[in-house]
Amino acid sequence: MPTKTPGSSARNFLPEQRDLESLKIASQHCKGCDLYLRGTQTVFGEGRKSSAILFVGEQPGDQEDLAGKPFVGPAGRLLDACMEEAGIDRNAAYVTNVVKHFKWEPRGKRRIHKKPSVREVTACRPWLDAEIKAVRPKMIVCLGATAAQSLLGSSFRVTLHRGEAMEVAGYPPIVATVHPSSILRARTDEDRDRERALFVADLANVAKTLAKLVRRRD
Ligand code: URA
Ligand code: SF4
C-alpha cells in the first residue's frame, strides 16, 4: 500500500480500479492538499461514461459544495442554458472541475470563493487525468483561465485563443472559453448579453467541430 501523505498530491489516493464509480468513491477520502479541511465534501465530476465532450471548470462553488455535485448553482444553470442553445445535449457531456474541493473565505455569514493556488491545482490534477482517461471524450472544453492554464500551460491566455482547438499530446482537442461566472459578473445588461452570445457561439463551434470529428472517424 502506498503511504497516504496528506498535503502532497491526490496521486496517492487514486484507487486501483479507475472506472468513474471507483474514482468518485475514492475521491471522497482525498487529502491530497489542505482544501479537504475547508470544503464540506469532494465534488467529483458527473456525466455518462463515454460522453463526447468533457467540460472542466475551476472548483465547486458554495452550492456545489453543499450538494456534492458540479455546476448546480447559478453558473451551472447558465452553462446548461447556453449548452442547450448551442445544441449540446447535457446528457452527452461530462462536467467536472480542476479542483474538487471548494476553497472559500468567510465574509460575514457568507462563504466567498477564493481562487485555488497553482499548488492546489497541481495536487488535484490526478483526479482530472483519471476522469479524462475513463471518459475518453472527443473534445475537452476548459471554462475559464484556471482550467485552461492547467491543461494548456501557465502562459495560455483565454483572451488570445478562446474557441481555438488546441492540440496537446495524449489528449483530445482542447478548446478554452470563458467561465460562465464571468458572464454573471458583467457590469451592465449589455455586457452580459454580449458575453453570453460569445459564449454560446464558442459552444456552437465546439458542437460543429465535434460533429466533424465524429464523421471523420466513421
Ligand atoms: N464554478 C465552477 O468552476 N465549477 C462549479 O462546479 C461551479 C461553479
Ligand atoms: Fe484532494 Fe483535490 Fe480535494 Fe485537494 S482539492 S483534497 S487534491 S480532491
Side-chain angles (χ1 to χ4, degrees):
M1 281 289 280
T3 37
K4 301 197 174 187
T5 323
S8 50
S9 166
R11 206 181 312 119
N12 299 333
F13 298 87
L14 260 68
E16 261 168 44
Q17 293 250 37
R18 299 287 168 92
D19 58 282
L20 286 177
E21 204 44 46
S22 307
L23 288 165
K24 183 176 177 171
I25 292 167
S27 76
Q28 300 305 316
H29 308 288
C30 184
K31 294 181 177 144
C33 74
D34 288 346
L35 291 184
Y36 80 93
L37 295 166
R38 213 178 307 182
T40 306
Q41 57 191 317
T42 307
V43 179
F44 203 67
E46 229 177 46
R48 273 199 288 137
K49 179 166 78 200
S50 46
S51 299
I53 309 181
L54 184 141
F55 284 89
V56 193
E58 185 190 71
Q59 60 167 336
D62 182 80
Q63 294 193 25
E64 288 79 13
D65 170 75
L66 298 173
K69 290 166 176 286
F71 283 103
V72 292
R77 285 195 290 276
L78 180 59
L79 176 62
D80 281 352
C82 292
M83 257 196 228
E84 196 177 328
E85 275 176 49
I88 297 174
D89 181 1
R90 173 97 200 224
N91 292 323
Y94 184 88
V95 177
T96 191
N97 289 296
V98 261
V99 168
K100 309 301 198 228
H101 270 99
F102 178 36
K103 183 176 183 181
W104 58 277
E105 273 179 352
R107 196 166 306 159
K109 285 193 180 136
R110 293 179 55 207
R111 303 190 297 172
I112 303 295
H113 159 278
K114 196 159 186 277
K115 195 173 148 61
S117 67
V118 170
R119 201 164 164 273
E120 289 151 354
V121 169
T122 307
C124 209
R125 181 62 187 269
W127 293 120
L128 177 61
D129 280 330
E131 287 176 294
I132 294 171
K133 279 212 179 93
V135 174
R136 300 204 299 126
K138 295 193 168 61
M139 283 185 83
I140 294 176
V141 178
C142 297
L143 301 169
T146 306
Q149 291 179 347
S150 171
L151 283 160
L152 297 165
S154 56
S155 59
F156 182 87
R157 293 288 170 270
V158 175
T159 42
L160 295 178
H161 299 288
R162 77 181 279 176
E164 287 177 34
M166 314 297 289
E167 299 291 339
V168 177
Y171 293 84
I174 303 176
V175 172
T177 181
V178 295
H179 194 289
S181 302
S182 70
I183 303 171
L184 295 172
R185 282 195 307 266
R187 288 218 201 107
T188 64
D189 288 351
E190 211 178 13
D191 285 352
R192 188 172 317 113
D193 291 349
R194 193 187 54 242
E195 284 305 315
R196 190 183 193 283
L198 287 172
F199 183 61
V200 171
D202 282 346
L203 297 187
N205 271 330
V206 165
K208 213 155 80 184
T209 310
L210 184 68
K212 268 191 230 151
L213 284 174
V214 172
R215 237 177 286 138
R216 209 180 300 155
R217 278 177 204 170
D218 283 343

